[in-house]
Amino acid sequence: MLKDPAQWPLAKLKGLTDHAELPDEAERALAQIRVGSYDLIAWIHSSGLCGLSSSDWSMHVDMTESEGEPSRDEGFSGPTEPAVGSSSESKVSLFCTPTRMLIRVEGETSRPFISGEAVAQLVDGGLNAVVGSQEAREESLPGANVTPGG
């Protein structure tokens, strides 16, 4: 799915400079997403890893080893791209495409907060977040009302 990690659009994002500790396999934090009891860091590694972690767990997918299936997670709009996904605790799901990360937190809606290269929106009793370029964020969550610093 990701032939050349050096050309990965997510690798070109500025990301976060001030963030919680990252797991060993992470290289750069792109965004922080908080909702309810969850405090998540969306991260990448220039080798092609796309991941999400909290203080007590971490998950990631290797974008170079998966072909991915063309899909778009429910509650998001924008292009249908090859995506590879992972989930944790049955409440948090992560879908990575070549241009964005789509994150869903089920059943949590209180005190949503975003920082970094992301926007979010409360949808169907949970939080949807998109990490990516401004264009990718606007495509995938055009009605996003949880924005960095706001």
Side-chain angles (χ1 to χ4, degrees):
M1 190 159 69
L2 188 64
K3 303 294 182 239
D4 181 3
Q7 298 302 312
W8 193 10
L10 290 178
K12 295 175 174 57
L13 297 176
K14 183 178 169 203
L16 296 174
T17 52
D18 184 23
H19 53 78
E21 192 171 318
L22 293 173
D24 291 344
E25 61 271 20
E27 192 174 68
R28 289 184 46 223
L30 296 183
Q32 179 181 21
I33 300 145
R34 288 196 315 244
V35 61
S37 60
Y38 287 91
D39 188 351
L40 309 171
I41 298 286
W43 55 264
I44 60 168
H45 189 284
S46 57
S47 66
L49 299 183
C50 163
L52 191 65
S53 60
S54 75
S55 60
D56 55 355
W57 57 263
S58 179
M59 62 180 170
H60 68 270
V61 292
D62 188 334
M63 301 287 288
T64 63
E65 295 197 355
S66 173
E67 287 304 307
E69 290 293 321
S71 66
R72 183 178 62 231
D73 205 21
E74 203 173 313
F76 294 95
S77 56
T80 299
E81 299 179 289
V84 58
S86 182
S87 63
S88 175
E89 300 184 351
S90 73
K91 286 184 95 174
V92 180
S93 58
L94 167 68
F95 285 88
C96 297
T97 79
T99 62
R100 66 202 77 201
M101 299 166 71
L102 305 176
I103 297 158
R104 169 77 180 165
V105 181
E106 289 287 349
E108 297 280 350
T109 58
S110 64
R111 301 179 316 281
F113 171 84
I114 291 284
S115 66
E117 307 282 352
V119 295
Q121 184 174 0
L122 295 174
V123 178
D124 295 333
L127 184 80
N128 284 2
V130 179
V131 179
S133 67
Q134 183 169 349
E135 179 185 11
R137 297 189 306 249
E138 289 171 358
E139 281 178 348
S140 292
L141 275 181
N145 54 10
V146 182
T147 54

